[in-house]
Amino acid sequence: AGGGEVHKPLENKGKRMERAEVPEGHFFRPWNPKKVALVVMAYSDHETNKELSATVDSLRGVGKADQHDIIVSQEHEDSRLNNYVVHLQSKGILKHMVHETKNTRGMHMRERTAIHQKLAMQKVFEDPAGYTHAIFFEDSVQLAPDTLDFFAAATPIMDKDPTVWCISATHELGYNEMDWEETKMMRTSHFSGIVWMARRELWTELAPAWPSSSWIEWMLSGRAREGRSCIIPEVSRVKRIGNAVYSQEEARYEQFMSRVKLSEIKVDHNLFGDMNYLEKQTYDNDLAVQVKKARILGSTRAEVPFNSYGPFLIPYSGDDYKIFARRYHLPDVPVGDYEGLTVIKLRKNIIFLAQANSEWLQLRPEKQKELEQMRREGHQDPHMDPSRDPHDPHFDPRFDPHHDPHDPRFDPHRNPNDPHFDQHHDPDPFGERDPREHHGPGNPNDPRHVPGHDRRPRRGAGRPNDSRHGPGHRR
């Protein structure tokens, strides 16, 4: 009882302060910078300290970063990294922690990143400074000027809503050509480990079951996530830099990531407004209203009528999502998914892509009945039938799940004036992006060449099995 008597007046005092001291148009954010650690995950695979230096400089340039402890978490002893970090440490710019990870050269990158992430979280959350939250940064990123304001605005929701387990600064569908808003945020079932925040309580929960390898995949799994969501911005607050390319798959994924818009305007945390719309019940109710009134398009093969008003609802099942994704040059997996619903804002319209077995589609019983009837009758869209003869004049190779990815019709670099060019796979269907964004690695004299992609790649960076990188490589 005594503890309750002490706690209650403090709680009431806080409420009075909120009403009396927060001006109109401002929002009370319980954010203590000294309890939020900024942790840069440094690896020794770079040829130089260029990427790490750029990341640290970018972080130091973020508004209010000087109010936080910046910590460089070093995977293991490395003289080159040591000299650079110790030099900054001597100036009081950051803190330095080196882990005693041995024999990393014999480890797969999946193992190394899992071990490093575990050791970093363990040391940070057990630090005498008493950090309650930590933001983890890859060692090769560029940050928006309001990155910390974004985290400050979103953190109160994570702290009070048990269905939110992390905050990520990356929106992997936040492309330049889409109509995302700088001051809006979203919920997602996806997890991106490029720049993300965790609470100390989350580490306490996850530590006993932390995997020895592939921690990103584990975080994406139901075993760790348990139906919870991450908060992400509509416009990303981070962009990856200096990433090596090893294969066509990686080059394609880097093309997706290169299109992600980095917020460039300074948004004070107050401009994000009241964040209560992100609480699960409110957020789900708002989405349900939009899904109920959306115009249903028959399938992912349907053309979106951009000349009319939406929102539009497109049901999909199995690999149907890939049909829409390839038409509008999106990743083949729904990286923006929220409990079976992917939201896309394009040409002033909202498009909802809903999994056939999701609760969202159950809000539209007329479509649900149609899909159930098709399943009972064993109906299959002929365009999706892999047994169709490619020589059949009605066969559309775009929907052949076994097509050859090297078929020139699927080369995104082909000239649209080429008679064999398939416009449905034009990576810039709206003609709005700089063509240099689609160029791949190669000879410097090749017009598709991207400076920096011909450098010696760092070990493990951007590889399909590298758990530090994007969903196209993790799944």
Side-chain angles (χ1 to χ4, degrees):
E5 291 173 2
V6 172
H7 179 72
K8 191 171 182 179
L10 288 174
E11 183 181 7
N12 290 336
K13 181 180 179 182
K15 291 182 178 178
R16 288 197 298 272
M17 288 174 60
E18 183 176 347
R19 288 195 298 270
E21 297 183 11
V22 178
E24 184 178 354
H26 289 63
F27 296 88
F28 177 70
R29 317 283 194 200
W31 174 268
N32 183 351
K34 284 302 177 185
K35 297 299 181 182
V36 181
L38 311 180
V39 186
V40 180
M41 306 293 288
Y43 291 81
S44 59
D45 298 278
H46 302 283
E47 290 183 351
T48 67
N49 294 325
K50 180 179 178 181
E51 286 88 353
L52 177 59
S53 176
T55 299
V56 172
D57 289 345
S58 181
L59 180 54
R60 292 176 61 199
V62 170
K64 305 172 184 174
D66 58 347
Q67 301 175 18
H68 296 257
D69 288 339
I70 299 176
I71 303 171
V72 171
S73 174
Q74 191 172 315
E75 179 190 19
H76 57 80
E77 285 286 351
D78 179 85
S79 57
R80 175 170 49 79
L81 276 179
N82 286 351
N83 292 337
Y84 168 72
V85 178
V86 169
H87 172 68
L88 296 180
Q89 186 181 21
S90 66
K91 294 184 176 182
I93 294 173
L94 49 76
K95 294 183 176 181
H96 186 203
M97 58 185 186
V98 182
H99 307 293
E100 298 179 0
T101 309
K102 299 179 180 179
N103 301 321
T104 57
R105 291 186 179 277
M107 290 184 185
H108 196 284
M109 202 65 191
R110 287 173 179 255
E111 298 175 272
R112 291 173 56 187
T113 54
I115 293 172
H116 188 185
Q117 188 68 41
K118 177 181 179 178
L119 293 174
M121 295 180 79
Q122 185 176 41
K123 285 193 176 182
V124 166
F125 287 124
E126 293 178 359
D127 192 282
Y131 300 116
T132 59
H133 301 73
I135 306 174
F136 298 91
F137 301 79
E138 280 193 359
D139 61 0
S140 53
V141 296
Q142 178 184 356
L143 302 168
D146 67 340
T147 299
L148 295 179
D149 282 279
F150 157 72
F151 280 107
T155 297
I157 299 296
M158 179 175 67
D159 286 348
K160 70 179 181 180
D161 186 345
T163 68
V164 175
W165 74 322
C166 65
I167 303 170
S168 171
T170 308
H171 181 193
E172 295 186 17
L173 289 180
Y175 300 150
N176 282 293
E177 67 269 25
M178 294 190 183
D179 305 317
W180 303 112
E181 299 180 53
E182 296 272 359
T183 58
K184 294 296 183 183
M185 302 186 196
M186 309 167 64
R187 294 174 68 111
T188 179
S189 302
H190 184 64
F191 174 78
S192 174
I194 300 175
V195 173
W196 69 290
M197 171 187 269
R199 302 170 70 221
R200 182 168 57 201
E201 291 82 356
L202 180 66
W203 170 242
T204 301
E205 171 195 334
L206 299 181
W210 192 263
S212 59
S213 179
S214 308
W215 75 276
I216 292 286
E217 289 89 340
W218 183 72
M219 292 285 281
L220 283 164
S221 71
R223 291 169 295 167
R225 191 171 69 84
E226 294 184 345
R228 293 172 291 187
S229 305
C230 269
I231 293 175
I232 61 172
E234 287 199 0
V235 179
S236 286
R237 264 54 187 185
V238 60
K239 198 173 184 72
R240 291 166 58 197
I241 58 176
N243 297 297
V245 172
Y246 283 74
S247 67
Q248 285 187 337
E249 179 190 0
E250 292 160 15
R252 181 176 176 79
Y253 181 71
E254 288 303 322
Q255 285 180 353
F256 292 135
M257 293 304 291
S258 70
R259 290 163 51 202
V260 171
K261 179 182 179 181
L262 177 67
S263 177
E264 297 179 351
I265 66 172
K266 175 59 177 156
V267 178
D268 181 85
H269 74 86
N270 289 299
L271 298 182
F272 288 101
D274 187 345
M275 306 301 295
N276 289 328
Y277 71 91
L278 288 170
E279 292 184 19
K280 182 171 176 57
Q281 185 172 355
T282 303
Y283 192 82
D284 288 0
N285 289 343
D286 290 344
L287 269 182
V289 169
Q290 296 185 68
V291 169
K292 285 180 179 179
K293 70 179 182 181
R295 295 171 54 187
I296 299 179
L297 301 183
S299 71
T300 52
R301 294 187 298 107
E303 292 283 354
V304 177
F306 289 111
N307 58 345
S308 61
Y309 292 99
F312 303 102
L313 176 64
I314 303 176
Y316 73 91
S317 60
D319 287 340
D320 291 0
Y321 182 89
K322 294 181 180 179
I323 300 171
F324 182 92
R326 290 169 183 173
R327 173 171 291 172
Y328 295 103
H329 199 57
L330 308 176
D332 283 347
V333 293
V335 294
D337 170 83
Y338 172 64
E339 298 184 2
L341 188 73
T342 298
V343 182
I344 295 171
K345 292 184 177 181
L346 193 59
R347 301 184 87 179
K348 299 182 179 179
N349 273 306
I350 299 177
I351 303 168
F352 296 111
L353 290 153
Q355 290 181 6
N357 60 350
S358 69
E359 294 183 1
W360 304 105
L361 209 55
Q362 294 176 15
L363 297 172
R364 303 300 297 267
E366 71 278 22
K367 190 62 184 177
Q368 191 72 15
K369 289 179 181 178
E370 178 185 333
L371 291 172
E372 290 174 359
Q373 181 68 22
M374 290 173 64
R375 282 194 292 268
R376 282 197 300 268
E377 296 176 356
H379 174 77
Q380 185 176 28
D381 189 322
H383 291 288
M384 289 299 297
D385 184 354
S387 65
R388 284 293 298 274
D389 180 2
H391 300 292
D392 186 320
H394 300 288
F395 179 77
D396 189 338
R398 286 177 294 135
F399 307 120
D400 176 10
H402 305 295
H403 77 265
D404 179 3
H406 302 294
D407 187 317
R409 289 172 295 184
F410 299 94
D411 184 351
H413 304 301
R414 288 296 296 272
N415 185 341
N417 297 320
D418 188 317
H420 299 290
F421 180 76
D422 186 344
Q423 62 180 349
H424 295 284
H425 291 277
D426 180 4
D428 185 8
F430 311 109
E432 297 174 350
R433 296 194 300 279
D434 186 330
R436 289 173 295 180
E437 293 181 346
H438 310 304
H439 296 165
N443 188 305
N445 297 320
D446 187 322
R448 294 185 294 168
H449 173 69
V450 176
H453 279 179
D454 56 341
R455 66 175 176 82
R456 179 183 174 188
R458 74 171 187 239
R459 183 180 173 203
R463 304 189 66 166
N465 294 326
D466 181 351
S467 62
R468 284 190 289 161
H469 295 285
H473 298 150
R474 303 192 203 110
R475 291 192 172 184

